[in-house]
């Protein structure tokens, strides 16, 4: 596997101040032990969760203090870097981006940069054609890359978008 990368609001430069974390995330996402043959969306989420938690990432930190609402949680956080992994429907893009924005710019001030992980169209086509896995309807890297600049006035947090590809 390999990664397509898109830096929104100089996210890559900001993330380079956390270079160890940037390298850690990229290595986890492209780990050679991830088997594509049985990689459904839920399985890929589980694999990434196991690897990130083992590397010391906090799982499901709340965006708001003491909030039990699962929809108001980032997927992972470590040293002021937040991660959202989105293999679900493309309609979740707004919710995900808003979580990054709120965690960064409100009085919460919990993160400096976000990492938004999704897959490319090519990856999804490969999974369907080569491994009979249904990724149809999932958010794509290309869609995030197209839509994110249109949210320029609303989403001001730097975001490093990673598209998993084969």
């Amino acid at each position: 596997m390999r990664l397509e990368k898109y830096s929104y609001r100089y996210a890559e430069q900001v993330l380079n101040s956390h270079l160890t974390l940037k390298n850690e995330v990229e290595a986890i996402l492209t780990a050679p032990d991830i088997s594509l043959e049985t990689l459904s969306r839920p399985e890929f989420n589980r694999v990434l969760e196991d690897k990130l938690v083992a590397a010391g990432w906090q799982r499901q930190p709340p965006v708001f203090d003491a909030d039990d609402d699962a929809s108001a949680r980032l997927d992972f956080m470590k040293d002021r870097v937040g991660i959202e992994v989105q293999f679900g429907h493309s309609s979740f893009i707004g919710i995900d981006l808003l979580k990054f924005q709120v965690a960064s710019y409100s009085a919460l001030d919990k993160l400096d940069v976000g990492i938004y992980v999704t897959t490319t169209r090519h990856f999804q086509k490969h999974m369907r054609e080569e491994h009979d896995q249904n990724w149809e309807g999932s958010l794509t890297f290309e869609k995030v890359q197209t839509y994110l600049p249109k949210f320029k006035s609303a989403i001001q947090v730097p975001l490093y978008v990673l598209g998993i590809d084969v």
Side-chain angles (χ1 to χ4, degrees), residues 64-122:
F64 305 106
D65 294 329
D67 192 338
D68 293 331
D69 183 359
S71 65
R73 294 178 176 273
L74 290 170
D75 287 339
F76 305 97
M77 176 82 80
K78 185 176 183 180
D79 298 335
R80 298 186 56 82
V81 176
I83 297 177
E84 277 291 312
V85 177
Q86 187 53 263
F87 299 146
H89 194 270
S90 61
S91 64
F92 289 107
I93 187 173
I95 295 167
D96 292 340
L97 296 177
L98 192 56
K99 285 191 277 187
F100 283 126
Q101 180 65 27
V102 169
S104 175
Y105 273 89
S106 68
L108 300 174
D109 190 30
K110 292 183 177 185
L111 64 86
D112 297 325
V113 62
I115 300 175
Y116 198 32
V117 178
T118 189
T119 56
T120 65
R121 284 187 191 117
H122 180 258

Side-chain angles (χ1 to χ4, degrees), residues 1 28-29 33-52 76 85 87-88 119 123 127 131 133-135 138 164:
M1 288 191 292
I28 286 170
L29 295 175
D33 65 334
I34 298 176
S35 172
L36 293 177
E37 287 76 31
T38 59
L39 203 58
S40 64
R41 290 185 276 186
E43 176 64 11
F44 204 177
N45 270 312
R46 187 199 60 75
V47 167
L48 294 180
E49 179 178 329
D50 290 349
K51 289 178 177 295
L52 287 163
F76 305 97
V85 177
F87 299 146
T119 56
F123 176 91
M127 293 303 290
H131 304 292
Q133 292 290 334
N134 181 13
W135 286 72
S138 296
I164 299 169

Side-chain angles (χ1 to χ4, degrees), residues 14-29:
V14 174
L15 198 52
N16 282 339
S17 67
H18 301 279
L19 191 56
T20 303
L21 293 181
K22 176 185 171 194
N23 292 338
E24 179 178 82
V25 170
E26 290 181 359
I28 286 170
L29 295 175

